[in-house]
Amino acid sequence: MLMGLIVLVVFQLAGEWLASYFSLPLPGPVCGLFLLLVFLILRGGVDSFVLNASNKLFAYLPMLLIPITAGIYSWFNFLSSSWLEIGGVLLLSFFITYLFSFFMMTLLSARQR
Amino acid sequence: MIDLGKLQIANQVLVGHPLFGILMTFACFQSARFLFEKTGRFPLFHPLLVSVGLLIFFLDFVGLSYRSYFDSVEVLHWLLGTVTVALAIPLYESLRKLRTMFFPVIITVVSSAAFAVFVVVALARFVGLDEQLVKSLATKSVTTPIAVSLSEEIGGNAALAALFVLITALFAPIFVPLLLKIFPAKNDAVAGIAIGVSAHAIGTAKALEISRECGAFSALAMSLMGVITALFLPWFL
């Protein structure tokens, strides 16, 4: 667990460093994700200790999201005044995006057969 | 006889202790997860939704401001970045397994990533929402750990972004069965990609109920969608 965590945090910090040094318009952790992806491709596999650590982290993902999501506390008044517009936009764009990718994938996978 | 002055000081020490915020987070999550399992994983009782509700109630109850709560649990927030990095692992594994459908999948996800942002931004501006809100909505099709940091990058609000991602994902268990009944999918790859693109993690859980293959395609679409959006969004918003 600890060894895998060390590897992940090293990649996270390397990502933060790279994003800051080259002033990339990318969040540091996403930059770290790309670094790890390149590393895995070059290495040709995932070491079991890294896999174990990441599976344990994924199990607690909703909990790690609590601190930031609780920030909606300060937006309650605002959300209660425009929930209808926001809900409508979210629902409509969910349907449109779903149908777009559904039909595009149907079309492209038919062509390949 | 209880000394009221001392009681007040002791209470302040308790609430002000950094571990108090961490304890509240753990306890709210544990209760929320318990409730979720007890209700047979009913989507509206999603652990994140319930724990945030519980937590806000407790913050109010003990009189702790959100700011000081967040400061005390900041280490949990940093670990969220670690989970983001770890997303490379499922992405790598599903890309490696993807042999036959490589180009259809890549082309569909890349264009859907651009299209999803375009649709939500256009709709949000059309109904006259303000710019910070538009930016917080822009990441709604991206898996939450990426959406949170991406939203901060483009000048949205991370809390709102997380909430909008969650609401979007909750549409999946409600509407996907209906959508699949009206438009039956030709194969599990089509259904999986469409679900992963539109409803990320909670959608992927739904896709896994359809079949393992459907779940795998959904997970792939979800992580590709996240990294592709992260690559282009900061240049456009």
Side-chain angles (χ1 to χ4, degrees):
Chain A
M1 172 70 186
L2 202 55
M3 190 56 204
L5 205 55
I6 290 172
V7 172
L8 293 174
V9 175
V10 164
F11 274 97
Q12 181 181 3
L13 292 181
E16 294 283 2
W17 183 86
L18 214 66
S20 144
Y21 186 80
F22 293 103
S23 359
L24 300 174
L26 260 187
V30 177
C31 206
L33 189 165
F34 281 113
L35 289 177
L36 180 58
L37 186 64
V38 170
F39 173 80
L40 294 177
I41 291 170
L42 293 177
R43 188 158 169 76
V46 186
D47 293 288
S48 61
F49 57 90
V50 180
L51 194 65
N52 280 338
S54 70
N55 284 339
K56 285 195 178 114
L57 277 178
F58 287 143
Y60 287 98
L61 174 58
M63 189 182 80
L64 299 177
L65 285 164
I66 296 175
I68 197 76
T69 313
I72 56 169
Y73 192 24
S74 21
W75 293 83
F76 269 166
N77 290 331
F78 171 77
L79 286 173
S80 56
S81 69
S82 43
W83 65 270
L84 196 63
E85 289 96 320
I86 296 170
V89 167
L90 283 174
L91 190 62
L92 205 57
S93 58
F94 168 80
F95 281 119
I96 298 175
T97 307
Y98 176 93
L99 292 175
F100 178 85
S101 55
F102 184 92
F103 286 113
M104 186 149 188
M105 189 65 196
T106 305
L107 225 72
L108 290 173
S109 65
R111 187 171 269 194
Q112 218 192 27
R113 288 287 153 85
Chain B
M1 197 56 204
I2 298 168
D3 183 335
L4 280 179
K6 278 187 179 167
L7 184 70
Q8 207 168 16
I9 292 169
N11 284 352
Q12 269 168 8
V13 168
L14 176 69
V15 172
H17 198 290
L19 273 174
F20 188 79
I22 293 186
L23 174 68
M24 283 212 294
T25 312
F26 284 0
C28 289
F29 182 64
Q30 189 62 39
S31 334
R33 210 163 47 168
F34 180 75
L35 185 70
F36 189 53
E37 294 303 332
K38 280 288 163 204
T39 54
R41 301 181 153 252
F42 185 63
L44 281 179
F45 286 122
H46 187 271
L48 178 58
L49 205 60
V50 174
S51 21
V52 166
L54 283 173
L55 188 86
I56 289 176
F57 172 79
F58 282 123
L59 287 182
D60 231 20
F61 184 74
V62 300
L64 195 63
S65 74
Y66 172 68
R67 196 67 250 168
S68 29
Y69 161 75
F70 188 82
D71 287 345
S72 73
V73 294
E74 209 171 358
V75 62
L76 296 180
H77 184 58
W78 295 331
L79 279 174
L80 183 62
T82 315
V83 181
T84 311
V85 174
L87 285 174
I89 296 162
L91 178 59
Y92 167 75
E93 294 200 314
S94 47
L95 277 177
R96 202 169 56 164
K97 282 182 208 140
L98 187 73
R99 291 273 180 262
T100 51
M101 297 272 200
F102 188 80
F103 286 108
V105 167
I106 300 290
I107 298 169
T108 304
V109 177
V110 169
S111 39
S112 302
F115 184 75
V117 170
F118 169 76
V119 169
V120 74
V121 168
L123 283 173
R125 287 195 175 139
F126 178 75
V127 298
L129 296 173
D130 74 51
E131 206 48 26
Q132 195 187 17
L133 204 59
V134 171
K135 285 177 173 166
S136 313
L137 280 162
T139 52
K140 63 101 199 166
S141 298
V142 176
T143 183
T144 332
I146 297 181
V148 164
S149 49
L150 192 57
S151 185
E152 281 164 350
E153 186 77 39
I154 61 172
N157 178 276
L160 290 179
L163 178 70
F164 298 155
V165 172
L166 181 61
I167 294 173
T168 298
L170 288 172
F171 290 149
I174 304 170
F175 296 114
V176 163
L178 184 74
L179 282 164
L180 283 174
K181 202 169 270 176
I182 305 173
F183 306 106
K186 215 165 50 86
N187 53 49
D188 283 352
V190 171
I193 294 294
I195 296 170
V197 158
S198 51
H200 24 81
I202 299 175
T204 299
K206 188 76 205 161
L208 270 170
E209 289 171 16
I210 298 172
S211 77
R212 271 186 70 101
E213 200 196 359
C214 190
F217 274 102
S218 178
L220 172 63
M222 167 183 98
S223 30
L224 271 181
M225 188 81 181
V227 297
I228 292 165
T229 311
L231 276 181
F232 78 83
L233 195 58
W235 304 89
F236 288 96
L237 272 182

